[in-house]
Every structure is written in structure tokens, then in C-alpha cells.
Amino acid sequence: MSQLKSVQEKLRLIRVLRLLKKSYTYEELSKITGLPITVLNRYVRGKVLPSAERTRELLKLLTPYINIEEEVKKRIKFDERGFFDNMPVLSDTALMSLIAEEVAGRYFDRDVDKVLTAATDGIALGVHIARELGVDVVYAKKKKEVGVEKFYEVSYVPSASGTVMTLYLPQWALRKGENVLIVDDVIRSGETQRALVEMAHQAGAKPVGMFFLVSVGDIVEKLREEYDFPVESLIRLG
Ligand SMILES: O=P(O)(O)OC[C@H]1O[C@H](OP(=O)(O)OP(=O)(O)O)[C@H](O)[C@@H]1O
């Protein structure tokens, strides 16, 4: 095994332990793994790294206790009007890292050059996925920032808003011929994401996939019919 792969596995184990720590006590994790609490605690705090062999054993034992779809679902909090707060998902760095690892695994062979998302809430997901893929993340904003000379800009009408929205991206951020993975935390009408596809086309870049944490209704199926690249969401609501 390459040194990089070995380090990645160790990091994965630490992320798994940190995530499980939110649902299980050290006593419970000690029973599952057969390791003393003190040892587990050192791993969680990053004071000590397990050997490659122990990492593999622990990942085998602990992976069945992780279900990232369920972890996302249980963190989504709806308000009385049916809107949800996604901050409990986006703020959980251990969970986001594990999600990003899985998404990056699906796109490693698609030669992604950039991850593209829309401000604001897409940024956290975009950063995690881009880091796993070892590429840069760029994000379209709803405002034209001073200091940027040239923008790509795409206007669209978000569903039920009755107003025109425009997304802006500095032109240096996307180049002709680049392969772009489009990601966002949530997709409802798909208008934001269609605007991102349009933006990639303006740049002469090529969208190679779309990934969302949460999709609402059948928008993923609709976009699959519109585009010839993979469109996926981790969980679907409604
Ligand atoms: O599929 P759609 O109907 O286009 O909706 C999805 C978009 O809505 C949210 O962003 P929002 O525009 O609310 O901005 P924010 O990220 O700043 O909250 C979300 O982060 C997506 O970008």
C-alpha cells in the first residue's frame, strides 16, 4: 500500500471515530472495538495514530455503524413552515469529510479540474469535495464584488420568487476546457444549478457531474433527462 493510501486510511478512521463519538459513548466504542477508552481517546484527539494493520481492523469493525445518509437525515431540522436548517449537516466537519470522501471516490476517474458551487451554503460542501479530489473550488456569488475585472454572469428566476436573480463568477475562476463538478447543499427547483451549468458553458468548461446533499422532489430525475452527465443526491426529501 502506498504511504499516501495508508495515511488516508488512518485519517478516515479518525473521522469515523469522531463522527461515532457523537452518537456513542467511549464505553460503547470500547466494547465494539475491544480497545481501551484511553487508546480510542488518543486516536480521536489525534495524539496517536494507529498502525496500518489496526486501522484496517478498526475500519472493518466500525464501518457498519456508519450510515452517512441516516446521519444527514437525522441532522436536518424542519421548522413549522416546512423549511429546514441544514447547518447541523454543513457544520459537522467529520460527517462532511466522510461524505466528500465518498463523492470524490465516484469522480476520481473523471478528471475533475474544478468544483463549482453557488454561495452561500454550497461553499462548505464544495470545499470538502474539492479538497478530497485535490482540486480548487470556485463559487458563484449573488453580488458583483469590487476588485474583479470580468465576470461570467447568468440570470435566472428562482421558482416562486417572481424576481430575477443573477450569479457572478470572476472569469479567471473557470477556464476553457476544464472539467467541472457542480455541487450544492440543496436542490429544489434546479434553477440555481441550471445557472451553474450555463456559467460553465459560458467559460467553455465542461460539466462532468452534479452532486447534491439533499434533493427535494423529483428534480434529480428531471436533470438527468436534461443533461448527459451523472446527477446524484445523497438523500431525497419529499
Ligand atoms: O434548486 P433551487 O430552487 O435553485 O434552490 C437551491 C439553492 O437554494 C439555496 O441557496 P439560496 O439561493 O437560498 O442561497 P444561500 O445559499 O445563500 O442560502 C441552496 O444553497 C441552493 O443553492
Side-chain angles (χ1 to χ4, degrees):
M1 190 193 296
S2 74
Q3 289 209 16
L4 177 63
K5 187 106 180 58
S6 164
V7 170
Q8 281 171 337
E9 280 204 342
K10 290 177 189 186
L11 288 178
R12 176 173 167 75
L13 173 65
I14 291 171
R15 288 164 175 172
V16 165
L17 279 169
R18 285 181 179 163
L19 185 61
L20 288 174
K21 257 302 292 141
K22 295 180 178 173
S23 310
Y24 296 86
T25 62
Y26 272 117
E27 286 77 9
E28 287 168 330
L29 291 175
S30 171
K31 272 198 194 119
I32 295 168
T33 58
L35 288 178
I37 290 171
T38 46
V39 173
L40 291 174
N41 181 271
R42 277 186 221 128
Y43 292 161
V44 167
R45 289 188 301 134
K47 294 279 173 198
V48 175
L49 283 177
S51 68
E53 196 182 334
R54 182 172 273 180
T55 300
R56 270 195 303 278
E57 282 166 14
L58 289 175
L59 279 175
K60 214 166 167 187
L61 287 169
L62 294 173
T63 301
Y65 290 85
I66 297 269
N67 179 333
I68 55 177
E69 285 92 341
E70 285 308 313
E71 294 289 339
V72 170
K73 278 186 193 157
K74 82 182 183 203
R75 281 168 177 73
I76 289 178
K77 307 255 186 290
F78 286 91
D79 71 6
E80 60 287 348
R81 292 169 305 161
F83 289 99
F84 56 86
D85 177 10
N86 52 14
M87 187 77 88
V89 181
L90 299 175
S91 64
D92 189 326
T93 56
L95 176 60
M96 292 293 284
S97 298
L98 289 170
I99 292 169
E101 227 176 60
E102 193 182 306
V103 177
R106 298 181 203 171
Y107 286 93
F108 267 131
D109 59 354
R110 298 191 82 93
D111 294 329
V112 175
D113 296 302
K114 292 267 169 65
V115 172
L116 172 65
T117 187
T120 312
D121 286 346
I123 297 174
L125 177 69
V127 169
H128 281 280
I129 293 176
R131 200 201 45 227
E132 285 298 325
L133 284 169
V135 301
D136 290 346
V137 59
V138 293
Y139 42 93
K141 298 186 187 180
K142 296 182 181 98
K143 284 188 259 179
K144 261 185 172 174
E145 304 260 319
V146 179
V148 177
E149 269 184 35
K150 288 184 182 166
F151 292 91
Y152 299 119
E153 42 183 281
V154 179
S155 295
Y156 62 103
V157 181
S159 57
S161 75
T163 53
V164 176
M165 184 82 87
T166 304
L167 286 175
Y168 304 93
L169 182 76
Q171 286 199 4
W172 60 260
L174 273 190
R175 292 279 174 218
K176 197 173 173 195
E178 284 185 324
N179 289 335
V180 177
L181 174 62
I182 294 171
V183 306
D184 214 336
D185 61 319
V186 178
I187 180 162
R188 289 188 192 85
S189 69
E191 291 308 322
T192 308
Q193 293 72 24
R194 289 185 181 102
L196 292 176
V197 172
E198 166 70 25
M199 194 162 264
H201 287 155
Q202 274 187 17
K206 184 179 171 214
V208 292
M210 274 183 169
F211 174 82
F212 314 108
L213 273 184
V214 178
S215 63
V216 181
D218 62 356
I219 184 63
V220 164
E221 287 74 18
K222 283 185 184 153
L223 291 185
R224 279 181 185 153
E225 283 172 18
E226 290 172 35
Y227 299 125
D228 61 358
F229 46 76
V231 179
E232 299 170 298
S233 74
L234 186 70
I235 64 164
R236 174 181 165 158
L237 300 175

